[in-house]
Amino acid sequence: MSGLLRRIGLPLLLRLADATAAMLPSRAAYALADLGGRAWHRWSPARRRVVEANLARVCAATGRPTDGPAFRRLVRTAFVEHARYWLEVLRVHHYSESRIDAMLEAEGWEALAPILRSGCVVAVPHLGNFEPFGHFIASHGIAGVAPVEETEPKELYRFLLQRRIVGGRGIRLVPLSESMRPMLAALRDGQVVALAADRDLAGDGMRVELFGHETTVPLGPAVLALRTGRPLLVARAVRVGPDRFSATAWPVSAERSGDRQADAAALTRAMVQRFEAVIAETPEQWFGAFQPIWLDQRGDA
């Protein structure tokens, strides 16, 4: 695509997608997303191979079939679920707070809300859709910070930034490369910091085993929790139907040794164990699987 088309064509295309997603009734919008997901699965063999390789490892570790009709169906469903995610990114910022409250069931909210209101680090895998949960907690008066990856091209980054979680209703979005100071300030002020932590975007994370294979994950969630004395939670928000979500979170802990580095490593391993558990529930919604995850896939083994 030429530079002129990128400057003119992409913004127009994004505005059209946003308007279409907002205008369509829920059933029609999801039907369109499902159609797109199935077409993506069929016509993207390279991406399909990545997803197959990743989900095969999850399935092998959790006793599911790693080939045959059931496995192929799982892979195809993963493409549909990921297409639904992008539809929801476009739609959710158009919804009222009352509609989001009705869309999302927050399991264990009475126990979870006081922890969130007192400030904590929330680590999430790239699973389901965390956006409605972000809107939900903001609608309950809970403030915080969430770093976001700075994607290319810039037009796409700005477009998504305007539509990601809550957009000014309590959760402040900051570029990942400039996030440390705002995150520390938020935690010291008793706010929430939410981070996606099943992929090591910076490439300098800790080596761990995920579903029996070695990868790296960021130490940031554990380091932030230890440095500020705030609890670390792992949260998940999964799709249970069109415009319907179930979300919950679990405190993560590890025995303290007094050695900050060792304690961060132990807390990170506990976080990864919880990631394995929540991904295993709905592997077809793990859109982290659309990227190389493990060291041998990334050429870092």
Side-chain angles (χ1 to χ4, degrees):
M1 182 184 294
S2 69
L4 180 62
L5 187 56
R6 282 199 301 271
R7 289 193 298 271
I8 298 177
L10 182 59
L12 179 61
L13 180 62
L14 292 173
R15 288 196 298 271
L16 179 61
D18 185 49
T20 302
M23 176 183 64
L24 289 175
S26 179
R27 182 175 296 182
Y30 275 92
L32 183 61
D34 292 358
L35 180 64
R38 288 191 291 270
W40 185 20
H41 169 265
R42 181 173 182 179
W43 298 111
S44 301
R47 186 63 59 187
R48 188 169 65 243
R49 286 191 292 270
V50 171
V51 176
E52 288 171 345
N54 288 335
L55 291 185
R57 291 185 174 184
V58 177
C59 290
T62 56
R64 292 179 171 90
T66 58
D67 57 16
F71 178 71
R72 290 194 294 272
R73 187 163 52 250
L74 178 72
V75 172
R76 185 169 57 251
T77 302
F79 279 81
V80 170
E81 293 288 353
H82 199 17
R84 288 183 166 201
Y85 166 79
W86 286 113
L87 169 72
E88 291 154 2
V89 168
L90 294 175
R91 284 171 68 85
V92 75
H93 78 110
H94 293 288
Y95 293 165
S96 66
E97 291 180 359
S98 61
R99 182 170 181 180
I100 291 171
D101 279 358
M103 286 165 50
L104 185 136
E105 179 188 359
E107 300 173 24
W109 179 248
E110 289 185 1
L112 181 59
I115 303 174
L116 294 171
R117 294 185 193 282
S118 299
C120 60
V121 180
V122 179
V124 299
H126 289 83
L127 179 79
N129 192 345
F130 200 72
E131 313 283 337
F133 196 25
H135 281 274
F136 179 88
I137 64 176
S139 73
H140 285 74
I142 297 169
V145 166
V148 293
E149 183 181 357
E150 296 151 90
T151 55
E152 293 290 344
K154 290 296 183 184
E155 297 97 324
L156 178 61
Y157 171 68
R158 288 192 292 268
F159 175 83
L160 292 175
L161 193 64
Q162 293 169 0
R163 287 154 181 81
R164 302 305 287 267
I165 52 176
V166 295
R169 289 194 233 171
I171 304 296
R172 185 163 55 99
L173 304 177
V174 295
L176 182 61
S177 61
E178 303 170 7
S179 62
M180 182 55 71
R181 185 173 294 178
M183 290 191 296
L184 287 171
L187 290 169
R188 288 167 178 157
D189 197 34
Q191 297 182 9
V192 170
V193 166
L195 305 110
D198 58 336
R199 288 180 56 212
D200 180 20
L201 297 176
D204 58 357
M206 172 182 157
R207 289 195 174 210
V208 296
E209 277 205 357
L210 179 70
F211 294 109
H213 297 268
E214 195 170 53
T215 187
T216 57
V217 296
L219 277 162
V223 168
L224 284 168
L226 292 170
R227 185 170 172 179
T228 60
R230 300 297 183 182
L232 173 62
L233 280 65
V234 165
R236 70 101 173 96
V238 293
R239 187 176 303 101
V240 295
D243 282 340
R244 300 292 299 175
F245 305 89
S246 173
T248 192
W250 301 264
V252 174
S253 61
E255 187 174 346
R256 302 287 179 87
S257 68
D259 180 321
R260 182 66 64 85
Q261 187 174 358
D263 289 348
L267 197 55
T268 298
R269 283 191 290 269
M271 176 188 76
V272 169
Q273 289 175 353
R274 177 57 69 176
F275 280 172
E276 287 181 324
V278 299
I279 292 167
E281 290 178 356
T282 53
E284 70 279 5
Q285 292 194 35
W286 185 36
F287 59 93
F290 281 72
Q291 303 294 330
I293 297 295
W294 287 277
L295 295 183
D296 60 322
Q297 297 172 330
R298 289 154 35 190
D300 298 330

